[in-house]
Amino acid sequence: MRVLGIETSCDETGVAIYDTERGLLADALYSQVAMHAEYGGVVPELASRDHTRRLLPLIQQVLEEAGMQRSELDAIAYTAGPGLVGALMVGASTAHGMARALGIPVLGVHHMEGHLLAPMLEESPPAFPFVALLVSGGHTQLVEVHGLGLYRLLGESVDDAAGEAFDKTAKMLGLSYPGGPQVARLAETGNPGRFRFPRPMTDRPGLDFSFSGLKTHTLTTLRQLEQAGELDDQARADVARAFEEAVVDTLTIKCRRALDDTGLKRLVMAGGVSANQRLRERLATEVAKRNAQVFYPRGRFCTDNGAMIALAGALRLQAGERDETGQMKAVPRWPMDTLTSPASA
Ligand code: ATP
Ligand code: MG
Ligand code: FE
C-alpha cells in the first residue's frame, strides 16, 4: 500500500510517500522557520497561508521523486491534530479533496503518534513493547507502548514542554527561534561546572515533569550576571550549558525510573528535542547499564516531517481504518491516550 503523508500542524510543511512493502519512497519538507523568526515564534495566520502556498508543489515533488503518478497512490494520511487549527485545516482539506478526486481512502492521524512511530522509519526499528519519551515543542511525555494505539501515559509535563523551555531559554540568551539547536551549540563552549541548575521534580516519586521553574532560574541567573557586569559570551555559554545539563539530567532520571517501573528493556525517544546530542549520549549510557536499548529517528525525522505521518497513517489504513466519507478532521487539542488500536476501533 502506497500512502501519501501530509503534515501541516505547525510551521513545517512535510510531505512523504510510504510504501508498506518497500518503505519510504520520497520525503520533502519546507520549513517556515525563517519566516516566523522575525516574530520570535510561530504566527498562526502566516503559518496557514504558507502551508497553502507550499503544499501542492511539495506533493508534486514527492510524486516525481518516487517516480509515481497520483493515480498510483493507494491512500492519503494527514495530521488531524493536535496543532494550530488553521494550519491543520490546510492539510486536512487538501487530503480530503485529493482522496475524493482519486477515489481512495483517507485518514486523519495523531501528530504525536507520528512522532512516536518515527523511529520505525530507521534501519533497526524498535519492537513492541517499549517506553517512549516524547520530547517536542509542545509535549513532554513518557508513554508505555504495547502496540499501535495501545498507549498508557506514565507521566507528562505539568507546565512547559522541554522544547518550549529550550526555545524560551534561547530567547533570553538572545538566540533566534527555534532555540533548541542554538542553545545546544552554545552549550558546547560552556563550562559545565560554573552553574548548577535545579532538576525539577526528581526528588519525589512519579514520572511527571515541570520545566517552567528552570526557565525562571535561567532568567534570574542572567539578571544577576548582568547586574554584576559579568554577562559576556562565556557566561552566556556557561548558562546554556547549565540549562542543557539540567534538562538532559531530568529527562534521563525520569526515563530510568520509567524503565524500572515498567520492567521494559526498550526506550524510544522522539520529537524535536530527541535530536539533542547530549541527551542521546546520556540515554545511551543509561540504557547500556540496564542491558536495555535506545531507539531514535535520524535528525530530520525528530522534528516535524511528512514521513512519520505517512508511516503512522499507513499502519492504520492497512488495518482498515479511515475517515468517515466527507468528514475531514482538524482537532487542535487531542490527548494521545484517547487513541485506540485499529483492531478494537
Ligand atoms: P509538538 O510536536 O509537540 O506539537 P512541535 O511539532 O513544534 O511540537 P517538534 O517539531 O517535534 O515540535 O520539535 C521542535 C522543538 O524541538 C523545538 O522546541 C526545538 O527547539 C526543539 N529542538 C530541536 N532540535 C533540538 C536540539 N538539538 N536540542 C534541543 N531541542 C531541540
Ligand atoms: Mg516546528
Ligand atoms: Fe511535532
Side-chain angles (χ1 to χ4, degrees), residues 18-86:
Y18 184 84
D19 184 332
T20 50
E21 258 121 64
R22 293 195 293 150
L24 191 64
L25 300 184
D27 145 65
L29 186 80
Y30 180 85
S31 174
Q32 307 176 355
V33 158
M35 181 180 79
H36 297 292
E38 215 182 304
Y39 304 91
V42 180
V43 185
E45 178 59 26
L46 294 182
S48 331
R49 287 185 197 205
D50 209 56
H51 286 306
T52 311
R53 259 191 301 270
R54 310 291 171 188
L55 190 50
L56 291 176
L58 281 180
I59 293 174
Q60 196 50 44
Q61 189 182 323
V62 293
L63 284 167
E64 277 164 26
E65 206 180 307
M68 283 172 60
Q69 306 291 321
R70 266 165 206 241
S71 56
E72 293 173 287
L73 290 170
D74 298 304
I76 302 179
Y78 64 95
T79 302
L84 303 167
V85 71

Side-chain angles (χ1 to χ4, degrees), residues 49 65 80 130-131 166 176 179 190 195 212 251 274 285 301 327 332 343:
R49 287 185 197 205
E65 206 180 307
F130 53 75
V131 168
F166 265 100
S176 61
F195 304 109
S212 75
L251 293 172
S274 70
T285 315
F301 296 154
Q327 295 288 308

Side-chain angles (χ1 to χ4, degrees), residues 2-265:
R2 282 172 296 193
V3 179
L4 175 73
I6 297 175
E7 156 62 39
T8 64
S9 70
C10 189
D11 60 348
E12 257 97 27
T13 318
V15 182
I17 300 173
Y18 184 84
D19 184 332
T20 50
E21 258 121 64
R22 293 195 293 150
L24 191 64
L25 300 184
D27 145 65
L29 186 80
Y30 180 85
S31 174
Q32 307 176 355
V33 158
M35 181 180 79
H36 297 292
E38 215 182 304
Y39 304 91
V42 180
V43 185
E45 178 59 26
L46 294 182
S48 331
R49 287 185 197 205
D50 209 56
H51 286 306
T52 311
R53 259 191 301 270
R54 310 291 171 188
L55 190 50
L56 291 176
L58 281 180
I59 293 174
Q60 196 50 44
Q61 189 182 323
V62 293
L63 284 167
E64 277 164 26
E65 206 180 307
M68 283 172 60
Q69 306 291 321
R70 266 165 206 241
S71 56
E72 293 173 287
L73 290 170
D74 298 304
I76 302 179
Y78 64 95
T79 302
L84 303 167
V85 71
L88 291 168
M89 297 271 270
V90 177
S93 54
T94 305
H96 269 264
M98 240 181 111
R100 171 74 70 95
L102 295 169
I104 56 177
V106 57
L107 179 69
V109 307
H110 195 286
H111 181 79
M112 297 312 294
E113 179 167 79
H115 276 303
L116 175 77
L117 299 174
M120 296 190 169
L121 291 161
E122 302 306 331
E123 204 60 55
S124 45
F128 299 119
F130 53 75
V131 168
L133 172 70
L134 295 176
V135 267
S136 57
H139 295 80
T140 303
Q141 299 184 323
L142 274 163
V143 188
E144 187 178 335
V145 180
H146 285 275
L148 181 66
L150 298 172
Y151 310 132
R152 188 165 77 90
L153 185 66
L154 299 171
E156 65 183 332
S157 178
V158 297
D159 42 55
D160 293 355
E164 192 180 353
F166 265 100
D167 295 338
K168 288 177 177 168
T169 294
K171 221 173 187 172
M172 289 185 245
L173 288 165
L175 302 169
S176 61
Y177 171 87
Q182 302 216 45
V183 171
R185 209 169 305 128
L186 184 60
E188 276 171 36
T189 56
N191 172 357
R194 181 157 173 205
F195 304 109
R196 186 181 161 87
F197 283 19
R199 274 64 172 151
M201 295 179 82
T202 52
D203 56 353
R204 60 184 111 158
L207 294 168
D208 284 339
F209 304 89
S210 163
F211 289 108
S212 75
L214 206 48
K215 181 184 67 191
T216 315
H217 195 86
T218 307
L219 187 63
T220 315
T221 308
L222 287 170
R223 281 211 183 121
Q224 282 166 353
L225 285 164
E226 198 173 14
Q227 276 158 13
E230 290 171 5
L231 190 55
D232 54 12
D233 286 350
Q234 188 57 51
R236 278 197 186 84
D238 296 344
V239 168
R241 182 63 186 261
F243 167 82
E244 190 186 45
E245 290 280 354
V247 174
V248 167
D249 210 31
T250 303
L251 293 172
T252 306
I253 291 167
K254 297 287 164 131
C255 283
R256 198 160 63 200
R257 213 176 269 177
L259 288 173
D260 289 346
D261 287 0
T262 58
L264 294 174
K265 291 287 182 194

